[in-house]
Amino acid sequence: MKLSVIGAGYVGLPTSVGLASKGHPVLCIDIDERKVEKINTGKCPIYEEGLSELIEEVVSKDMLEATTDTQKAVANSDVTFISVGTPMKEDGSINLEYIKQAAEDAAKGIRDKDAYHLVVVKSTVVPKTTEDEIIPILEEVSGKTAGEDFGVCMNPEFLREGTALQDFLKPDRIVIGELDRKSGEKLEKIYKDFDAPIIRTSLRTAELIKYASNSLLATKISFINEIGRLCKELEIDVYEVADGVGTDHRINRDFLDSGAGFGGSCFPKDVRALIKVMEDYGEKPRILKEIINVNEEQKTKLVEQLQKHYKDLSGKKIAVLGLSFKPGTDDIRQSPAIDIISELKKKDAEVKAYDPEAIENMKKEHPDIKYTDSYTEALENTDAGLIVTGWGEFSEITLDEIRLMKNQIILEGRKTQLRIDKSYREGLSWP
Ligand code: UDX
Ligand code: UDX
């Protein structure tokens, strides 16, 4: 089956390359011409572990080709995955602008072909979006009938940035929401070589499975961060508490790492979108709201802790180590580092920031701070260092490097394996 994928972002690109590596010829579509050119020369336009090697391979084998022409690519394929962004509006509700545009472009391609076609929504969309927004556009613009001339599925992705390819190729489960059995059957064939349970269900159930999954993962993080605050008062290690709690098979230890809060393009956006949906149905999203409230507070807890050392931060030189929302990616979307730097600037501190991959992206948010080429240079002559993203290299910081600081205070917003004496460092909610 020839496949087309609309949107070559953090979801669309691993999806395209993953499917091509499984033997499906893929046409990858993106409005960004630079991305398309890069992909067609076998280069990877985003920083994602293992993706550049595989892109080179599948492009050289003519299994993956990129284009900006959605209509033509859809007409020349059997199945189209839509994975454009569904960002957040000011009020927290979902912005469907790009996915509606993608559906319109795809429908023109379906109009231009006679054979049956399958459209697969992979972008994260709130329940009933596929039925109430996407299918009507596909029918109106193509002049064809869903369920007869073309099929529709909703196939949420669960991949994490930094491990996107591995998560795509080795998923815990594959969720297939289907308009009808024919649509579900056709999509299941594409995943036949994937070793994972397939869950066939309705379109809106598949949509909600995605939001409920992300919201429960975010709940675990806000929960352990709240417990972490009590651990700080009790002078105990929240990680030891999490180990004791997480050994219960009903709970599981994953996503119980306390720290400076969750960021990224998904958790903050998806929990807020679900809050809006529940309110639209007149339901009270109590737990969902507190997930966000606890997280917003958690993001700047590190600055509060710093102010226990320096009540007045004006003129203080502070090193911020780690800018991406998590290690292994250059993505800074909703990264706690954005809020921490804003807070430090508001208090007239002088910020020196370092990250192995995300500096160029952070310069768009905070162009007016100093960036360094190494964490050592960032620490030099500073009054304190804040570890905000858990990049492995920060565990390598030595005493000699600490001695380059004016005052040797390292505050860990992420637990690292730092091997320097406790007198030089403090954890956010661990000793
Ligand atoms: C994806 C999903 O789409 C989103 O629903 C989910 O919540 C997170 O992951 P992501 O891949 O992170 O979003 O978005 P992004 O990295 O912004 O990629 C979207 C790509 O689509 C971009 O490359 C953009 O250029 C492209 N795009 C956008 C199109 O090709 N056409 C459009 O009309 C809009
Ligand atoms: C998340 C989901 O994990 C993935 O299934 C979904 O498809 C997209 O959203 P991602 O946003 O890439 O993936 O990152 P993830 O690894 O989940 O981390 C999200 C945030 O939570 C990061 O800021 C991370 O630092 C934080 N986190 C994660 C914690 O603070 N503690 C933890 O124990 C785990």
Side-chain angles (χ1 to χ4, degrees):
M1 260 188 270
K2 189 141 190 178
L3 312 179
S4 49
V5 177
I6 309 177
Y10 285 95
V11 168
L13 199 52
T15 301
S16 300
V17 176
L19 289 167
S21 73
K22 288 277 186 180
H24 302 285
V26 176
L27 291 168
C28 180
I29 309 151
D30 202 284
I31 45 175
D32 184 335
E33 281 176 27
R34 279 161 308 136
K35 266 189 183 173
V36 166
E37 270 158 42
K38 257 193 157 177
I39 295 166
N40 283 335
T41 57
K43 296 206 174 43
C44 187
I46 59 172
Y47 174 81
E48 192 54 56
E49 200 72 27
L51 201 54
S52 33
E53 296 80 6
L54 203 49
I55 279 186
E56 204 171 338
E57 188 189 320
V58 290
V59 169
S60 64
K61 291 183 181 157
D62 296 330
M63 292 304 290
L64 177 70
E65 186 194 334
T67 174
T68 56
D69 188 341
T70 307
Q71 192 171 340
K72 193 157 150 251
V74 171
N76 295 324
S77 62
D78 307 299
V79 178
T80 297
F81 290 81
I82 300 181
S83 63
V84 295
T86 50
M88 192 166 62
K89 288 187 187 161
E90 282 296 307
D91 67 356
S93 65
I94 190 169
N95 176 351
L96 295 174
E97 181 194 337
Y98 304 124
I99 195 164
K100 285 182 175 176
Q101 183 58 53
E104 204 174 307
D105 299 342
K108 291 175 186 154
I110 294 170
R111 182 187 62 204
D112 301 349
K113 58 181 288 184
D114 301 329
Y116 176 88
H117 195 86
L118 177 68
V119 175
V120 181
V121 174
K122 206 165 210 0
S123 296
T124 306
V125 289
V126 295
K128 297 187 72 180
T129 301
T130 306
E131 292 158 77
D132 295 355
E133 306 283 347
I134 305 304
I135 293 177
I137 292 172
L138 293 171
E139 290 193 321
E140 202 183 307
V141 178
S142 71
K144 296 186 175 177
T145 308
E148 286 171 25
D149 308 306
F150 65 88
V152 178
C153 282
M154 200 283 155
N155 171 224
E157 50 73 22
F158 300 99
L159 49 85
R160 292 162 295 166
E161 287 179 36
T163 55
L165 201 52
Q166 179 199 327
D167 289 349
F168 179 79
L169 293 171
K170 295 195 173 20
D172 290 331
R173 78 289 207 199
I174 294 167
V175 174
I176 296 181
E178 60 196 32
L179 171 68
D180 52 32
R181 289 207 65 70
K182 181 176 178 182
S183 303
E185 291 299 330
K186 194 168 178 82
L187 184 55
E188 186 160 345
K189 280 205 188 83
I190 292 173
Y191 285 115
K192 70 178 179 355
D193 302 332
F194 285 67
D195 174 19
I198 295 208
I199 300 169
R200 299 268 298 265
T201 182
S202 70
L203 293 168
R204 65 182 74 166
T205 306
E207 289 159 337
L208 187 54
I209 287 173
K210 172 63 184 178
Y211 280 91
S213 301
N214 272 359
S215 300
L216 185 53
L217 291 169
T219 306
K220 287 184 86 172
I221 299 168
S222 281
F223 175 82
I224 201 67
N225 282 337
E226 192 154 277
I227 294 292
R229 296 172 192 179
L230 179 57
C231 291
K232 192 74 184 170
E233 302 295 340
L234 296 168
E235 293 169 6
I236 61 176
D237 185 342
V238 67
Y239 275 71
E240 285 181 28
V241 174
D243 292 347
V245 170
T247 3
D248 184 320
H249 75 278
R250 296 166 300 171
I251 300 173
N252 181 299
R253 176 62 181 80
D254 291 351
F255 281 65
L256 286 179
D257 290 346
S258 176
F262 59 75
S265 69
C266 295
F267 287 174
K269 162 176 80 75
D270 295 349
V271 175
R272 285 191 171 91
L274 196 54
I275 289 169
K276 275 282 164 217
V277 170
M278 288 199 65
E279 287 172 341
D280 293 348
Y281 282 100
E283 293 297 335
K284 290 194 178 52
R286 293 191 185 86
I287 295 175
L288 294 172
K289 280 193 172 166
E290 288 311 319
I291 297 169
I292 296 293
N293 294 340
V294 169
N295 197 56
E296 286 307 307
E297 282 169 15
Q298 192 70 12
K299 287 189 192 177
T300 52
K301 276 266 171 222
L302 213 50
V303 179
E304 272 174 42
Q305 194 172 340
L306 178 61
Q307 290 204 272
K308 294 204 177 102
H309 294 269
Y310 306 111
K311 194 139 190 38
D312 175 6
L313 285 173
S314 59
K316 294 293 180 213
K317 287 195 175 65
I318 309 298
V320 172
L321 305 183
L323 302 171
S324 58
F325 80 93
K326 66 174 190 177
T329 179
D330 61 354
D331 194 344
I332 63 155
R333 289 180 283 185
Q334 304 282 328
S335 170
I338 297 173
D339 302 68
I340 287 171
I341 293 170
S342 302
E343 200 63 16
L344 291 170
K345 282 163 57 174
K346 236 190 293 168
K347 296 175 189 299
D348 298 324
E350 203 185 308
V351 178
K352 289 167 73 179
Y354 167 73
D355 187 286
E357 295 292 341
I359 288 179
E360 287 318 307
N361 287 334
M362 189 57 88
K363 280 181 178 169
K364 297 171 195 140
E365 281 287 334
H366 290 292
D368 54 353
I369 65 169
K370 192 166 178 338
Y371 292 92
T372 64
D373 298 333
S374 69
Y375 66 71
T376 317
E377 194 192 334
L379 288 171
E380 254 169 55
N381 195 27
T382 54
D383 297 290
L386 309 183
I387 296 180
V388 179
T389 313
W391 289 97
E393 64 180 88
F394 299 147
S395 295
E396 311 304 320
I397 297 175
T398 64
L399 201 48
D400 288 346
E401 288 163 335
I402 294 284
R403 293 217 172 94
L404 298 168
M405 302 172 73
K406 200 162 111 214
N407 292 299
Q408 287 83 36
I409 303 169
I410 296 280
L411 302 184
E412 294 180 314
R414 305 288 174 185
K415 186 144 187 178
T416 66
Q417 305 314 314
L418 263 179
R419 285 178 292 283
I420 55 173
D421 189 84
K422 277 205 167 65
S423 60
Y424 298 115
R425 62 184 172 86
E426 276 172 35
L428 190 56
S429 38
W430 53 90

